[in-house]
């Protein structure tokens, strides 16, 4: 049974770093990776492009990439895009035996106890924590920064390669091989300032941004970051 990994975020806009992470997890775990754009993310400020534009940019970004798909379910649901509700919907749809993984960043792990009904996440899926080079997500470091979180995840820690062996309940740290420089915030700043930005996103996404005048872009000449 193929492992299904869900990668949530605003993707505002999707950039090369997002795609690199998705492909690295796909290849390492032999998984299908579903990118899940949030409609109303409860932990972030208002988005800068509307939900359908962000989802369309994801479609363009992953075109031709095997094993990557866009899942729009959060765009079709009213209210905040709580992960626990998304996972409940997936579990109802896919049944109790399918191994499901929700992917988060290392910063999000240290704030996991602020998420809505966060302990229930583990009843519904595994959690895969993507660790940038230099991150300190070993048990001692997490306990020092967020003791309540480490108390919950300590018995759940396991290798990422083992997540396919159960439907839910585990937590694995997935170290990235190299740091990615891209940032949606920095890309938006560059666009607004008229600085080079296009090398940070796939060409089809850059064209979509120009064509629709997103993020304040008007007639920008392609250039490298």
């Amino acid at each position: 049974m193929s492992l299904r990994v869900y990668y949530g975020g605003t993707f505002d806009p999707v950039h090369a770093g997002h795609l690199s992470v998705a492909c690295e997890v796909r290849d390492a775990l032999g998984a299908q990776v579903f990118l899940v754009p949030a409609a109303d993310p409860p932990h972030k400020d208002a988005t800068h492009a509307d939900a359908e534009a962000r989802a369309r940019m994801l479609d363009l970004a992953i075109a031709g990439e095997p094993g990557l798909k866009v899942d729009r379910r959060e765009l079709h649901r009213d209210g905040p895009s709580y992960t626990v509700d998304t996972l409940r919907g997936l579990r109802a749809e896919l049944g109790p035996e399918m191994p499901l993984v929700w992917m988060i960043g290392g910063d999000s792990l240290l704030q996991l106890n602020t998420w809505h009904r966060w302990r229930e996440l583990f009843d519904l899926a595994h959690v895969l924590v993507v660790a940038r080079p230099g991150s300190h997500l070993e048990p001692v470091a997490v306990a020092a920064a967020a003791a309540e979180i480490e108390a919950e995840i300590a018995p759940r820690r396991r290798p990422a390669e083992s997540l396919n062996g159960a439907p839910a309940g585990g937590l694995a740290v997935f170290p990235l091989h190299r740091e990615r420089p891209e940032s949606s915030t920095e890309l938006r700043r560059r666009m607004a300032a008229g600085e080079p930005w296009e090398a940070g996103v796939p060409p089809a996404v850059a064209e979509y941004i120009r064509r629709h005048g997103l993020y304040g872009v008007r007639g920008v000449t392609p250039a490298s970051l």
Side-chain angles (χ1 to χ4, degrees), residues 7-27:
Y7 182 8
T10 52
F11 303 108
D12 194 21
V14 59
H15 54 64
H18 292 133
L19 298 180
S20 176
V21 170
C23 290
E24 197 168 329
V25 169
R26 174 200 64 191
D27 296 345

Side-chain angles (χ1 to χ4, degrees), residues 6-92:
Y6 290 83
Y7 182 8
T10 52
F11 303 108
D12 194 21
V14 59
H15 54 64
H18 292 133
L19 298 180
S20 176
V21 170
C23 290
E24 197 168 329
V25 169
R26 174 200 64 191
D27 296 345
L29 302 185
Q32 285 186 296
V33 178
F34 296 81
L35 294 97
V36 187
D40 180 12
H43 285 85
K44 294 200 175 184
D45 295 333
T47 56
H48 299 263
D50 67 41
E52 191 49 48
R54 290 182 286 111
R56 181 60 185 142
M57 286 188 281
L58 280 171
D59 289 334
L60 295 168
I62 68 167
E65 273 289 352
L68 301 188
K69 298 183 179 181
V70 179
D71 187 317
R72 283 172 161 78
R73 70 183 60 237
E74 291 191 352
L75 307 188
H76 303 150
R77 194 172 72 227
D78 293 333
S81 300
Y82 290 129
T83 298
V84 69
D85 294 333
T86 301
L87 289 174
R88 284 193 179 284
L90 283 165
R91 188 54 75 192

Side-chain angles (χ1 to χ4, degrees), residues 106-107 110 129-138 141-142 173-180:
D107 292 345
L110 299 180
V129 186
V130 175
R132 296 186 177 99
S135 297
H136 296 288
L137 299 177
E138 59 275 7
V142 176
V173 175
F174 184 89
L176 295 179
H177 289 137
R178 66 186 182 93
E179 183 69 76
R180 296 294 312 196

